[in-house]
Amino acid sequence: MIAAVELPAAAAVTVRDARPDDRAAISEILLTSGIFGQTDADCVDEMFCEAPRADGYHWLAAEAATGAGKGGVAGFACYGREWGTHGTWDLFWICVRPGARGSGTGRALIDTVIDRVRAEGGRMVVIYTSSTEPYAAARRLYKAAGCTPAATIPDYYADGDSLLIFTRALRAET
Amino acid sequence: MIAAVELPAAAAVTVRDARPDDRAAISEILLTSGIFGQTDADCVDEMFCEAPRADGYHWLAAEAATGAGKGGVAGFACYGREWGTHGTWDLFWICVRPGARGSGTGRALIDTVIDRVRAEGGRMVVIYTSSTEPYAAARRLYKAAGCTPAATIPDYYADGDSLLIFTRALRAET
């Protein structure tokens, strides 16, 4: 089910596998996001530098296909299998450059993640996120991409900052 | 709140920090558990072999203080901080040797984890577990130790095998 959220068409965005030379852009996108900080960027960088493995982290980069940002990395996503599950995958990270927000970049990334997971035979995508205001746009994006808030752990991240777990079941659609 | 579950006194169990030479016993406990398999044992072994760090994994071993099992490792627990949170800790693994079940070993381990987390200023302990029958005794243990089922993700591990997330808030008690 797609929620009734108006989003621009994503035709001007291309999503591809990330390459080693995207490393600096990914860190910069996080550090200029206004949401994530150095600790997050360090964690993502460590994950990015892990050797590729089938059961490891998968990385996507989005590029603006036209306009001023053409050819630059406008956003990225990192996803992978959830250890110990049969067919559950996790969208670990997704972030879009502030200047590229509202351009359909986040939606193009999440749609590509869902397509890739489905192609791998995945049953479910889970997303762990925060209940706080800076994550409101992310929560709208997850809902627009057909993900449903399935569970809440109050005060998980900090007092007043709860964990929301979004899920999207895939197998029933195939 | 402690649920109305009868448990033997744990006076005959001592809990200590695990030592490097507990490695083989920990693998054996998992492989003879009837619950966990080689993939789990390999994952735990990899975690056990990580260099100790303040933000890493913490390991406890329980020994029977009296009787036939005296001096052997009867069970273990692994816990640590949840990345990206302020004061939330995760009980990653807990397992008791089949011959030691019902002896208060699991309860002594989980009570020690909770005491240690509280001593570190932790606000919350979370436990991720399965909804299936082999985990029924574990779920009873968590409830008896004051943990509450806070959220469910249906079919997370597999079709018909849901994720249950137990939590115990600590700060209000201090």
Side-chain angles (χ1 to χ4, degrees), chain B:
Chain B
M1 192 197 72
I2 303 298
V5 173
E6 274 194 87
L7 285 165
V13 177
T14 57
V15 175
R16 59 168 172 78
D17 290 310
R19 301 181 301 245
D21 65 358
D22 293 324
R23 182 180 172 191
I26 287 172
S27 282
E28 191 212 337
I29 288 167
L30 287 163
L31 292 172
T32 58
S33 66
I35 301 171
F36 300 111
Q38 189 66 52
T39 309
D40 304 293
D42 289 346
C43 174
V44 169
D45 193 56
E46 194 174 316
M47 292 165 72
F48 191 78
C49 292
E50 274 201 11
R53 311 191 307 252
D55 65 342
Y57 304 120
H58 302 251
W59 299 85
L60 297 175
E63 292 181 5
T66 57
K70 184 178 174 182
V73 178
F76 76 94
C78 171
Y79 66 100
R81 294 176 197 272
E82 282 275 83
W83 192 89
T85 73
H86 293 275
T88 293
W89 292 64
D90 191 329
L91 176 61
F92 295 112
W93 294 94
I94 184 167
C95 194
V96 172
R97 197 180 284 282
R101 291 182 191 158
S103 66
T105 302
R107 180 63 185 275
L109 282 163
I110 199 169
D111 284 352
T112 305
V113 169
I114 289 168
D115 287 348
R116 294 280 185 98
V117 170
R118 188 187 284 117
E120 292 276 355
R123 289 182 309 109
M124 187 188 298
V125 173
V126 296
I127 311 173
Y128 300 80
T129 194
S130 162
S131 63
T132 57
E133 200 286 328
Y135 293 84
R139 295 192 299 271
R140 285 195 298 274
L141 172 65
Y142 305 148
K143 287 181 187 171
C147 303
T148 310
T152 302
I153 305 289
D155 300 323
Y156 169 85
Y157 289 110
D159 286 328
D161 185 351
S162 302
L163 167 64
L164 301 184
I165 307 176
F166 285 78
T167 61
R168 178 160 167 182
L170 298 179
R171 197 166 279 174
E173 302 166 24
T174 58

